[in-house]
Amino acid sequence: MNNKSLPYLLLLPATLFLAVFFVYPFAQIAVQAFTAEQGFTLQHFDKMATNWKFWPSFWNTIILAAIVVPLQLVMALAMASIVAKLKTGRNSILYVFTIPLGLSDLAAGIIWLAIFEQSGFLSSMLVGLGVVDRPVLFLGYQNLWVIFIAVILAELWRATAIVMVILVSGMGLIPKEYYEAAEVFGAGPWKRFLKVTLPMLRPSLQTALILRTIAAFEVFAVVVALGGTSLPVLVGQTYDWQFNLRDSGGAAATALVILAISIAATLVFLRLLRTPRGATP
Amino acid sequence: MAEIVVKNVAKSFGAFQALHSIDLTIADQEFMVLLGASGCGKTTLLRIIAGLESPSQGEVWIGGRRVDQLPPRQRGISMVFQNYAVFPHLTVFENIAFGLRMKKLPQAEVRDRVERTAELMHIEQLLQRYSGQLSGGQRQRVAVARALAMEPDVILMDEPLSNLDALLRLEMRAELKGVLAGSKTTTIYVTHDQVEAMSLADRISVMNGGRIVQAASPVEVYRNPAARFVGSFIGNPPMNFIAATSDGDGRYRVAGLDLDGPAAAGPRLEFAIRPEDMTVAPGGLRAAVRVVEPLGAHTLVTCEVDGAVFRAVLDSDLRIAPGDELSLVPKPDRIRWFDPETSSAVPVAS
């Protein structure tokens, strides 16, 4: 067989799979979002945007991502810096840190619900300690900010490890000599982090941020478990359009909005964290 | 003033003893080369002086200050690394300026010093490039410029030329020597290349198995090796050794030849002679020629003397062919003797 065509041939099954199960449905949704019986239309977007829950769900999604992703980045950087310096037990600690990654996000939401609900662990503990007289309703629609905090906590707990894993492997790729050179030329630990680790970690930071931000825009199950309908988010809206309102045009339009902000965020990270020409080792 | 004193320094990695009680003093502005085969501990010693490795015992003093508990940045040193460690995410200018910025020098002085050292290393036209756009030789120059820009008391160099090709290495070697002589710093230079060591050093410390075997001037190390190892390691081809037995009265029998040796020594010694310290004349060592390699100025002749390999560097005018029998007369003042028990040199009483 021709050696040149072999790699393409080997990639063919995966490409076909992606074409059939991702590209085709995506195209279908894109078409659906812009068409009605009479042909091209923007009526689905109009309908979507005028729905009273659209803008709250849009901003909730953006604000959640804007709080969760930076927090995760800072925590993951700190955790990765510590893990990368470990000489023994490094893998065991990585395994422990990554346990939440193995859970579905709905399960993660339910775990945190067990903590925050009226008869949950936190409430019972406060009653047991005598801080409050009777169980507290934390996750009521009157306390939207508590739901917000609970979702943020659950997301931090659930998905920080993926950022950390990417950063740990990126840190492992930075040659030790750069740190030694920085040390000899006067950089203390903090300066070495700023002047060597961060800039040389750029490719990993880019990957982690893009992955995590896109995932944050798709937040759904955790929010449903903890907030029900009190805290609308974009994917929840999509679900509503499709299954409660039986309007796939509205669902398709909302899905395209999620896609648009995901692409926008990706472009921003690609631009912000690009490596200048020639600045690769 | 930056005299470096290493007192009783030892280092072990687990069960492996990398350095055994090293004592070494390097004078202010001296160019000291640590020479040895890989694994002899020379890089470990350099890294201990730099502060990148901490000694298991002993003290390091730089310029009258005990530094072995201080981090590298407080030792007044700068360093050139084997793989250069030129930061890929910074331009050449920012690489050279790195240490100066850490010292928070004023911008004008940073620019001034960077430009001055860049000019000295002939890289002033590369200042805006990134290291990915540089050749190995250019990166090397950046690494040296970065070290010089600090105007340090001490420069440490870890095999700085080993990644360059032969021609470039020759060129950089000469340039380094000139630049460092002008910089008035104390230099410690690690290499496994004896030619590099000989050509650069004020003094060479020959290391073997975690010990300094001899620390002396290049000519001294070459002419009067303190131990058999030094003679066999330095010089290309290395020294020849032949077992010798005492005839009494300071006379020794060497492969059938009777020679004057040390008066007060044991019954067995080792006779040693450098390949170039012999002439072809009657009444010498009987050598059966095996291989003849004309090298232009000289001819390298590999022979067999007393059943062992023996090399001689002879005048290229001589007509010699494999199978010939030569008589090689050693120059009397170039003969050296070693104790086969301790491997150390046995001086001839003068």
Side-chain angles (χ1 to χ4, degrees):
Chain A
M1 182 176 304
N2 189 340
N3 264 340
K4 268 187 190 158
S5 56
L6 184 63
Y8 295 100
L9 207 69
L10 291 172
L11 288 173
L12 193 63
T15 312
L16 277 178
F17 179 88
L18 288 172
V20 171
F21 292 103
F22 286 93
V23 179
Y24 175 66
F26 166 73
Q28 216 177 13
I29 283 169
V31 169
Q32 207 169 27
F34 287 105
T35 51
E37 276 140 28
Q38 66 278 25
F40 177 82
T41 177
L42 288 175
Q43 72 173 68
H44 300 303
F45 286 92
D46 193 41
K47 187 173 60 191
M48 170 197 78
T50 48
N51 182 300
W52 68 276
K53 273 167 107 180
F54 174 75
W55 288 109
S57 67
F58 179 85
W59 288 116
N60 285 341
T61 306
I62 299 281
I63 292 169
L64 265 178
I67 295 174
V68 169
V69 175
L71 278 177
Q72 284 181 324
L73 183 67
V74 171
M75 287 172 64
L77 274 171
M79 287 153 75
S81 303
I82 295 166
V83 170
K85 282 203 182 70
L86 291 179
K87 290 197 176 71
T88 49
R90 180 178 151 165
N91 283 345
S92 327
I93 286 180
L94 269 181
Y95 284 132
V96 172
F97 276 173
T98 48
I99 285 173
L101 284 182
L103 293 178
S104 81
D105 43 356
L106 184 58
I110 289 170
I111 288 174
W112 285 86
L113 182 64
I115 295 172
F116 281 106
E117 70 181 336
Q118 197 165 10
S119 55
F121 294 120
L122 183 58
S123 205
S124 320
M125 201 173 77
L126 291 177
V127 173
L129 290 171
V131 181
V132 291
D133 306 332
R134 52 202 159 121
V136 193
L137 176 65
F138 288 112
L139 301 173
Y141 68 94
Q142 310 93 320
N143 309 329
L144 209 55
W145 61 274
V146 183
I147 301 179
F148 233 95
I149 290 172
V151 170
I152 289 167
L153 282 175
E155 282 289 286
L156 289 181
W157 176 81
R158 189 181 68 82
T160 304
I162 185 71
V163 184
M164 185 200 69
V165 169
I166 294 170
L167 297 184
V168 166
S169 69
M171 284 178 183
L173 292 176
I174 303 174
K176 233 178 72 194
E177 253 188 358
Y178 292 122
Y179 289 106
E180 293 182 343
E183 205 174 345
V184 165
F185 288 104
W190 176 242
K191 283 280 184 196
R192 288 201 293 277
F193 178 75
L194 287 183
K195 300 279 180 186
V196 181
T197 310
L198 278 187
M200 298 200 68
L201 205 54
R202 211 150 30 185
S204 307
L205 285 173
Q206 210 174 46
T207 310
L209 279 173
I210 290 172
L211 277 178
R212 216 19 238 139
T213 308
I214 291 177
F217 288 151
E218 290 167 3
V219 68
F220 177 52
V222 169
V223 178
V224 169
L226 288 168
T229 51
S230 312
L231 188 69
V233 288
L234 281 177
V235 177
Q237 279 298 98
T238 316
Y239 181 89
D240 261 359
W241 280 111
Q242 182 70 35
F243 297 105
N244 296 337
L245 304 173
R246 306 264 167 200
D247 183 338
S248 47
T254 320
L256 284 191
V257 169
I258 299 169
L259 179 70
I261 58 174
S262 297
I263 290 174
T266 303
L267 290 177
V268 166
F269 288 132
L270 284 178
R271 172 90 194 146
L272 223 55
L273 294 169
R274 77 187 188 289
T275 309
R277 262 174 68 87
T280 44
Chain B
M1 287 292 288
E3 184 192 55
I4 301 169
V5 183
V6 175
K7 284 185 199 164
N8 191 29
V9 161
K11 175 74 181 176
S12 43
F13 297 100
F16 174 66
Q17 183 92 20
L19 291 175
H20 302 266
S21 181
I22 301 281
D23 283 295
L24 184 65
T25 301
I26 299 151
D28 180 43
Q29 297 187 29
E30 188 176 22
F31 197 125
M32 168 66 89
V33 171
L34 303 181
L35 175 66
S38 59
C40 71
K42 57 192 192 298
T43 295
T44 306
L45 179 57
L46 187 82
R47 289 171 59 85
I48 286 173
I49 294 168
L52 297 171
E53 209 82 69
S54 51
S56 307
Q57 64 167 63
E59 299 173 11
V60 179
W61 294 69
I62 296 177
R65 206 160 54 105
R66 186 170 172 186
V67 297
D68 47 86
Q69 300 300 323
L70 299 179
R73 59 183 184 280
Q74 289 170 21
R75 296 188 180 199
I77 55 159
S78 60
M79 188 159 172
V80 179
F81 292 82
Q82 182 171 10
N83 299 320
Y84 319 136
V86 173
F87 300 116
H89 57 282
L90 298 178
T91 59
V92 169
F93 185 100
E94 286 304 323
N95 261 289
I96 300 174
F98 189 90
L100 310 174
R101 297 221 189 277
M102 289 297 141
K103 276 190 182 172
K104 298 196 164 47
L105 293 186
Q107 176 63 28
E109 177 159 13
V110 171
R111 193 179 323 116
D112 186 52
R113 281 215 214 170
V114 171
E115 278 165 6
R116 206 149 21 95
T117 43
E119 212 168 306
L120 194 65
M121 295 309 297
H122 307 293
I123 46 172
E124 63 269 32
Q125 72 288 358
L126 304 175
L127 285 175
Q128 295 318 315
R129 301 246 192 115
Y130 287 100
S131 83
Q133 298 163 311
L134 303 179
S135 69
Q138 290 169 329
R139 275 183 223 186
Q140 176 61 63
R141 287 169 183 276
V142 176
V144 174
R146 181 173 62 181
L148 288 173
M150 297 290 284
E151 297 177 3
D153 298 328
V154 175
I155 290 189
L156 306 175
M157 300 197 170
D158 186 6
E159 308 237 8
L161 305 183
S162 63
N163 286 351
L164 300 181
D165 61 60
L167 208 63
L168 209 54
R169 193 151 61 215
L170 215 67
E171 187 190 313
M172 273 304 282
R173 195 171 80 200
E175 214 173 307
L176 265 187
K177 188 165 185 170
V179 166
L180 288 170
S183 74
K184 296 200 182 346
T185 57
T186 311
T187 308
I188 306 182
Y189 185 105
V190 162
T191 183
H192 63 267
D193 182 332
Q194 46 165 307
V195 182
E196 225 169 274
M198 300 289 269
S199 64
L200 289 171
D202 292 327
R203 227 156 30 111
I204 298 177
S205 293
V206 183
M207 295 187 66
N208 185 33
R211 291 188 170 83
I212 292 179
V213 187
Q214 185 173 16
S217 73
V219 174
E220 177 73 9
V221 164
Y222 187 79
R223 284 277 169 248
N224 299 310
R228 190 186 196 278
F229 170 79
V230 179
S232 64
F233 185 72
I234 291 185
N236 186 21
M239 245 178 174
N240 295 300
F241 297 91
I242 301 174
T245 44
S246 176
D247 282 350
D249 291 340
R251 302 281 293 173
Y252 284 85
R253 178 153 288 275
V254 178
L257 209 62
D258 230 15
L259 294 167
D260 273 328
R268 292 182 178 282
L269 281 183
E270 231 173 347
F271 158 91
I273 187 85
R274 291 226 172 256
E276 67 272 26
D277 292 337
M278 284 173 289
T279 48
V280 178
L285 298 159
R286 291 158 58 82
V289 177
R290 294 284 177 255
V291 182
V292 179
E293 297 167 77
L295 301 174
H298 306 283
T299 299
L300 172 59
V301 182
T302 306
C303 356
E304 206 178 298
V305 173
D306 207 20
V309 174
F310 193 94
R311 293 186 187 84
V313 172
L314 299 172
D315 197 299
S316 48
D317 289 341
L318 289 169
R319 301 226 160 273
I320 305 168
D324 288 359
E325 182 108 337
L326 293 178
S327 168
L328 298 169
V329 178
K331 295 178 187 166
D333 60 323
R334 294 287 165 84
I335 295 172
R336 299 291 176 265
W337 302 90
F338 293 94
D339 186 331
E341 301 286 316
T342 62
S343 304
S344 48
V346 180
V348 180
S350 51

